Amino acid sequence: MAFNAKLRMIDDGVALITLSGELDGQAAADFKKQVEAAADKKPKRLILLMKDLEYMASAGLRVLIFAKQKMGNDLDMYIVSARDMVLETIKMTGFHHSVILLDEYDAAVLEKL
Amino acid sequence: MMLPSWRSSKEVHMDPLNVPGKLDSLERIAGYIKTAAVEADLDQKSAYRLRLAVDEVVTNIINHGYGRSRTGGMINVRAITDEKSLAIYIEDTAAPFNPLKIERPQNLQASMEERKEGGLGIFLARQNVDEFLYEYEDGRNRNILIMDRKV
């Protein structure tokens, strides 16, 4: 399925990017663009909703590194509803140490800083 | 392509795919791998892992192998199935590059700020297949990624 990354700013300071499709080395450029757009708003929290993300390669992980570097070390990064195999890749590469993994999107928790 | 003599003789060869070494070839290669996985009856997780490994190797060839060259090059992908496994042969004509010589990322536990990017793709490729072989022959890098068929 074709990759899509959609950015929505929630209030001040919370950026939500909804990912869908397959995030390979080519699609990563689109994801990076959304991260850059989010970075312009200087959020304190970045939420990545991965419910509809079917696949992610290391190129996707590299965008996560870029996001942290761009938005500062204080940034909270949440990965929500990652599918099994995407989660496997996140854990295999140790990225679960740098993000907060959630199974469900809980607006009460996520959308208020 | 010359096949090593240890390959079993009961093999099924898919027609190879020959595509430009550019990022927009990734989708076609993924399609080829998915077809090969179905024909070899790989379970869903194995199919995902194999696609990921191939994706990582090919992305590396595109970005690094051919990345700095003015002329670029082609990538040849071929699936060969036998009773025990599905093997994907990936060939390119970029400068010799042996992924098996790349160090495993030392800092998998490190925070993102400390993390070095290098080697992540190759690490994922090697972790996700049952066997990973490399040869250099006749001016071609040949990566061979093998998934066991769990029958």
Side-chain angles (χ1 to χ4, degrees):
Chain A
M1 193 182 120
F3 178 73
N4 188 261
K6 193 161 35 185
L7 169 64
R8 181 162 76 97
M9 296 303 300
I10 301 171
D11 280 344
D12 261 343
V14 180
L16 167 64
I17 299 180
T18 302
L19 303 172
S20 58
E22 303 190 336
L23 177 49
D24 65 8
Q26 182 184 34
D30 285 348
F31 183 25
K32 195 173 183 194
K33 277 204 194 97
Q34 297 305 308
V35 167
E36 284 168 332
D40 279 346
K41 309 285 187 193
K42 304 202 187 314
K44 296 201 175 53
R45 174 174 300 165
L46 175 62
I47 305 165
L48 300 170
L49 181 54
M50 294 195 177
K51 181 165 57 86
D52 294 324
L53 186 67
E54 295 167 355
Y55 169 83
M56 185 174 71
S58 67
L61 295 173
R62 268 188 279 277
V63 177
L64 300 187
I65 296 175
F66 170 78
K68 267 272 171 141
Q69 290 171 351
K70 191 92 177 159
M71 294 191 241
N73 295 337
D74 287 338
L75 178 81
D76 279 335
M77 199 181 299
Y78 284 79
I79 290 181
V80 181
S81 306
R83 296 190 186 182
D84 273 1
M85 296 310 287
V86 172
L87 210 51
E88 179 176 287
T89 299
I90 289 169
K91 291 187 175 171
M92 194 181 271
T93 51
F95 273 78
H96 58 302
H97 296 301
S98 308
V99 302
I100 301 156
L101 293 171
L102 293 178
D103 287 334
E104 301 281 324
Y105 191 92
D106 184 341
V109 166
L110 290 165
E111 296 186 5
K112 303 272 182 285
L113 277 173
Chain B
M1 167 186 343
M2 283 292 292
L3 297 172
S5 56
W6 46 261
R7 296 293 308 175
S8 128
S9 51
K10 283 204 184 104
E11 291 174 345
V12 176
H13 291 227
M14 249 173 84
D15 281 343
L17 183 70
N18 209 44
V19 289
K22 300 235 154 80
L23 287 176
D24 47 32
S25 292
L26 287 176
E27 203 174 336
R28 285 181 68 191
I29 292 171
Y32 183 88
I33 300 304
K34 285 173 186 177
T35 301
V38 164
E39 297 197 356
D41 260 318
L42 289 190
D43 64 84
Q44 280 205 345
K45 292 193 176 201
S46 297
Y48 183 104
R49 289 174 184 135
L50 179 61
R51 182 269 177 99
L52 176 59
V54 171
D55 206 19
E56 297 293 352
V57 169
V58 170
T59 300
N60 231 65
I61 295 168
I62 293 166
N63 286 334
H64 300 296
Y66 290 137
R68 283 183 211 113
S69 103
R70 274 169 301 122
T71 48
M74 300 297 283
I75 297 177
N76 188 281
V77 183
R78 179 196 291 258
I80 302 179
T81 312
D82 66 14
E83 308 99 344
K84 297 219 177 87
S85 60
L86 167 59
I88 305 294
Y89 288 67
I90 304 168
E91 287 195 346
D92 69 85
T93 54
F97 176 76
N98 181 354
L100 300 177
K101 293 250 164 88
I102 299 298
E103 259 186 51
R104 191 193 155 98
Q106 295 301 308
N107 54 353
L108 287 176
Q109 312 306 315
S111 65
M112 265 199 234
E113 302 84 54
E114 296 163 2
R115 196 174 261 275
K116 294 192 182 84
E117 295 183 4
L120 205 52
I122 293 300
F123 168 72
L124 276 178
R126 293 175 65 182
Q127 288 295 113
N128 277 286
V129 292
D130 292 314
E131 233 183 316
F132 192 121
L133 305 171
Y134 172 82
E135 295 164 356
Y136 188 77
E137 195 177 354
D138 284 342
R140 292 175 148 71
N141 291 293
R142 181 182 301 139
N143 289 280
I144 308 170
L145 280 58
I146 302 172
M147 286 304 263
D148 294 334
R149 301 171 71 189
K150 288 140 184 123
V151 206

